[in-house]
Amino acid sequence: MRIAFVGEALIDFTGTGGLGFVGHEGGALANSAIAAARLGQPAGLVTQLSTDLFGERLLANLQANGVDTRLVLRSDAPSTLAFVERTPQTNRYAFYTQATADTLWSPDPLPELPQSCRYLHFGSIALLQEPAAGCITALVQAQRGARIVVFDPNVRPSLVRDMAGYRERMRAWAALSDIVKLSDEDATALAPHQDAADTALCFLRMGPRAVVLTRGAAGATLYRTGHAPLEVRPPSVAVVDTIGAGDTFGAALSVGLLEQGVEQPAQLAALADATWRTVLQFAAAAAALNCTREGANPPRRDEVRGTWAGPQDPASIPR
């Protein structure tokens, strides 16, 4: 395991019209773990899955995609369910998370990540329910400095009961992170009267070494202290579904950085602009390809290699 993802795994039911829905395995951190594994890096998920029929499907899907599940706990609590309605601009969600297996994740002691693990990802709706939120935060605190910590807020406003308190907790999570991956929708939810770029800069001042702001088809921008913003654009694709695009981008970001030999937080500051650009273009291409099919369905490495917008694959660039 080179990249660990701690957080939720759930079933996404996507609307097909009226009251019709089709189920897909999902959950932001589970999607990202699968994306990293498909892109060629050993990845593991840290969570708790139900023993119900949905939990069995989630576990089987993770294992079928090569995700390390040694740190997945099991519970007879139900699985988290999410219902998704597509709109021309974005997706609307309804979540069922009360006393579900992943929200009840509370291992004692905290899991011990393997020495081979160099990146730890956290975020999303797993941070909105206790006891999982507190345990995830404690795990991240314990790993800070030993591994590169990547935080993706993946804000779901309909689940946030106290937005002011949530914004305050966001500061603490950002301060624990080396990289924050923030979408323009996240930025708008957190600071509706502020430009997304200014929100990204606010996150940078909270302590991360880098903040990546994603804007869907408009591309992504990297912000670092003492550097000009660096922008990339994804390849043009026919969009079928945007579910999982951000999760795929975040996973591909760590995959690309790992392939540049970036295994310690301090190395991020020394990374050249050209290398960052290549890694970001790789991530943008992977996310774009995810959008060409139904549900969260990240591409495999050969698919990205054949279509991405960058000059060459990150794995082929001399370090």
Side-chain angles (χ1 to χ4, degrees):
M1 185 190 304
R2 301 281 282 163
I3 311 174
F5 300 85
V6 56
E8 75 271 8
L10 53 82
I11 301 293
D12 278 320
F13 287 95
T14 55
T16 58
L19 290 177
F21 291 86
V22 175
H24 304 274
E25 297 91 346
L29 281 302
N31 292 341
S32 291
I34 289 171
R38 288 186 179 184
L39 291 171
Q41 283 293 337
L45 183 65
V46 185
T47 193
Q48 181 166 257
L49 295 179
S50 176
T51 54
D52 66 14
L53 64 91
F54 295 124
E56 291 297 324
R57 287 290 298 270
L58 290 167
L59 182 63
N61 186 54
L62 290 164
Q63 293 175 339
N65 280 282
V67 175
D68 189 332
T69 58
R70 77 180 93 166
L71 297 178
V72 172
L73 304 180
R74 305 302 301 277
S75 166
D76 60 4
S79 295
T80 295
L81 305 179
F83 289 81
V84 188
E85 180 184 58
R86 299 186 189 89
T87 71
Q89 289 77 34
T90 184
N91 294 312
R92 295 176 59 196
Y93 292 85
F95 291 92
Y96 295 84
T97 62
Q98 188 66 37
T100 53
D102 50 359
T103 67
L104 295 175
W105 183 76
S106 56
D108 185 15
L110 292 170
E112 184 173 336
L113 300 180
Q115 288 297 316
S116 59
C117 180
R118 304 316 318 150
Y119 285 72
L120 175 62
H121 285 237
F122 78 110
S124 196
I125 67 171
L127 295 176
L128 298 176
Q129 300 281 345
E130 296 293 351
C135 290
I136 291 170
T137 303
L139 177 63
V140 173
Q141 288 173 326
Q143 301 300 321
R144 188 173 183 234
R147 294 170 176 84
I148 295 174
V149 175
V150 182
F151 174 45
D152 181 354
N154 197 27
V155 181
R156 296 289 178 253
S158 63
L159 288 178
V160 179
R161 297 171 184 167
D162 173 12
M163 184 57 79
Y166 180 63
R167 291 187 181 110
E168 190 59 34
R169 292 195 300 276
M170 196 68 64
R171 291 181 172 275
W173 293 323
L176 291 173
S177 307
D178 298 296
I179 301 172
V180 172
K181 180 261 166 196
L182 183 75
S183 74
D184 53 356
E185 290 184 346
D186 294 333
T188 298
L190 292 169
H193 304 299
Q194 181 170 269
D195 183 78
D198 291 332
T199 302
L201 290 171
C202 286
F203 266 89
L204 188 63
R205 289 191 289 271
M206 295 175 196
R209 299 168 189 266
V211 174
V212 180
L213 176 67
T214 60
R215 301 177 185 268
T221 305
L222 170 70
Y223 297 92
R224 295 161 293 163
T225 301
H227 295 263
L230 192 159
E231 297 186 2
V232 300
R233 295 293 295 267
S236 179
V237 298
V239 175
V240 173
D241 192 347
T242 60
I243 294 173
D247 309 330
T248 298
F249 186 102
L253 187 66
S254 289
V255 169
L257 288 169
L258 259 178
E259 290 174 351
Q260 290 305 299
V262 180
E263 298 188 0
Q264 298 293 335
Q267 292 177 274
L268 292 168
L271 209 58
D273 284 4
T275 303
W276 268 115
R277 184 178 298 279
T278 296
V279 170
L280 290 165
Q281 286 178 321
F282 173 72
L289 286 171
N290 179 88
C291 294
T292 63
R293 44 253 194 149
E294 290 278 347
N297 190 354
R300 298 189 182 277
R301 188 52 174 263
D302 57 350
E303 296 178 90
V304 182
R305 188 173 283 129
T307 61
W308 79 303
Q312 55 185 318
D313 193 292
S316 69
I317 300 174
R319 298 175 188 167

